[in-house]
Amino acid sequence: MARMPFKTFTLRERPDREDDFERLAEASWPRFLRQHDALGYGRYWPSLYTTWADWQLLLVDAMGPTIAATHAVPLHWKGTAEDLPSSIAEILSRATADHESGRAPNALCALAVMIEARFRGQGMSPAAVRAMVDLARTHGLTTLLAPVRPSDKSAYPLTPMERYAHWENDDGLPLDRWIRVHARMGAELLSVAPRTLLITGSVAEWEHWTDMRFPDSGSYVVPGALQPVVIDKTADEGRYEDPNVWMRHAV
Ligand SMILES: CC(C)(COP(=O)(O)OP(=O)(O)OC[C@H]1O[C@@H](n2cnc3c(N)ncnc32)[C@H](O)[C@@H]1OP(=O)(O)O)[C@@H](O)C(=O)NCCC(=O)NCCS
């Protein structure tokens, strides 16, 4: 696998690169996903840049540009499926509650991996996951938990995630390229997280976010969405739940 030389830094070490996280996010997620999450992760997100700066990573090319950025927070996880956070908001609220109560974390919980567009397709994504595993190890944590957003699921929005997550290619590896990266690194698929984000908005807002028209109530296949967006013209509301799959890396 072609790998370019890079160094890994925490945001604490490279505060001058803070804007790269936002820039990569802009280029990584469909516009509708970058709107207000009704489950409330937005309340906690700014703390990633302050309280949690030691856990946000940047992979920096030897020549200077940022190759990738990762978001994660440490939390205490009992090791059971029932104790997995149900949403991005809950990951952040759990980490915050543990931090404030002085409860020692035992797991690093990933929030996002973003590869700079021009560095994609060059085998850098395992390096970004590896950087999070190494960070967890440095801090004495025993697990990296990842709510994985399967990259290729948007091509199969009508398939339930429970089935999609188990689709395999001819080699017997996960069909989805991003689930496959984690699986190849030894991660285990734990469960489906059906609603990690909940995006709601008026029909006009959804039309703006998607460059589509929604003339009727019903379910719509929308580019970048992992399952249909549900439009209710009477209530003037569009609603989308972003499903992920939980994967666990031993550290
Ligand atoms: C998902 C993401 C991190 C993957 O990184 P990447 O640089 O694109 O992928 P890599 O080059 O590391 O390759 C990973 C796998 O995807 C495959 N792949 C890469 N580009 C591909 C393409 N255009 N089409 C099909 N497969 C592709 C690779 O072959 C590899 O699989 P393999 O190891 O079985 O060969 C990156 O595309 C990204 O940042 N996307 C936007 C944000 C996102 O979705 N993040 C993940 C959710 S948190």
Side-chain angles (χ1 to χ4, degrees), residues 1 28-29 111-115 119-126 149 151 177-178 180-181 184:
M1 203 180 277
S28 291
W29 314 115
L111 294 158
V113 172
M114 304 173 292
I115 311 287
F119 289 106
R120 284 186 201 158
Q122 300 174 43
M124 291 307 295
S125 68
R149 182 170 200 268
S151 303
R177 71 177 94 157
W178 187 219
R180 190 165 70 241
V181 164
R184 207 184 251 129

Side-chain angles (χ1 to χ4, degrees), residues 191-205:
S191 62
V192 169
R195 193 177 69 164
T196 62
L197 299 172
L198 170 60
I199 309 293
T200 58
S202 68
V203 175
E205 284 174 320

Side-chain angles (χ1 to χ4, degrees), residues 217-247:
S217 290
S219 293
Y220 287 85
V221 170
V222 167
L226 307 190
Q227 58 189 11
V229 173
V230 179
I231 297 289
D232 181 339
K233 293 288 275 191
T234 313
D236 188 23
E237 192 191 63
R239 190 182 167 92
Y240 171 73
E241 300 181 350
D242 199 50
N244 288 183
V245 294
W246 277 110
M247 297 191 74

Side-chain angles (χ1 to χ4, degrees), residues 38-231:
L39 303 176
Y41 87 78
R43 206 179 117 205
Y44 300 97
W45 202 256
S47 66
L48 294 179
Y49 300 95
T50 54
T51 313
W52 306 115
D54 291 315
W55 306 88
Q56 315 315 309
L57 297 178
L58 294 150
L59 275 61
V60 177
D61 179 272
M63 302 300 286
T66 295
I67 298 172
T70 70
H71 286 301
V73 287
L75 49 74
H76 186 87
W77 177 50
K78 289 180 187 154
T80 62
E82 299 71 48
D83 195 45
L84 288 167
S86 63
S87 64
I88 300 296
E90 195 187 327
I91 293 169
L92 288 159
S93 68
R94 286 257 301 258
T96 304
D98 288 348
H99 181 66
E100 286 172 356
S101 68
R103 186 183 205 198
N106 60 0
L108 182 62
C109 189
L111 294 158
V113 172
M114 304 173 292
I115 311 287
E116 169 76 55
R118 74 173 191 281
F119 289 106
R120 284 186 201 158
Q122 300 174 43
M124 291 307 295
S125 68
V129 177
R130 179 67 54 206
M132 287 194 287
V133 171
D134 292 345
L135 179 71
R137 184 179 302 111
T138 304
H139 287 270
L141 309 179
T142 55
T143 301
L144 173 68
L145 279 176
V148 172
R149 182 170 200 268
S151 303
D152 301 317
K153 175 72 170 75
S154 59
Y156 309 95
L158 306 181
T159 303
M161 186 68 97
E162 284 75 8
R163 297 194 65 79
Y164 176 82
H166 296 284
W167 285 0
E168 293 181 348
N169 63 18
D170 294 341
D171 300 333
L173 288 165
L175 187 66
D176 183 89
R177 71 177 94 157
W178 187 219
I179 297 179
R180 190 165 70 241
V181 164
H182 292 268
R184 207 184 251 129
M185 293 175 69
E188 171 197 2
L189 203 153
L190 298 176
S191 62
V192 169
R195 193 177 69 164
T196 62
L197 299 172
L198 170 60
I199 309 293
T200 58
S202 68
V203 175
E205 284 174 320
W206 273 99
E207 290 184 340
H208 174 63
W209 299 336
T210 59
D211 294 321
M212 289 174 66
R213 299 296 307 277
F214 302 110
D216 271 321
S217 290
S219 293
Y220 287 85
V221 170
V222 167
L226 307 190
Q227 58 189 11
V229 173
V230 179
I231 297 289

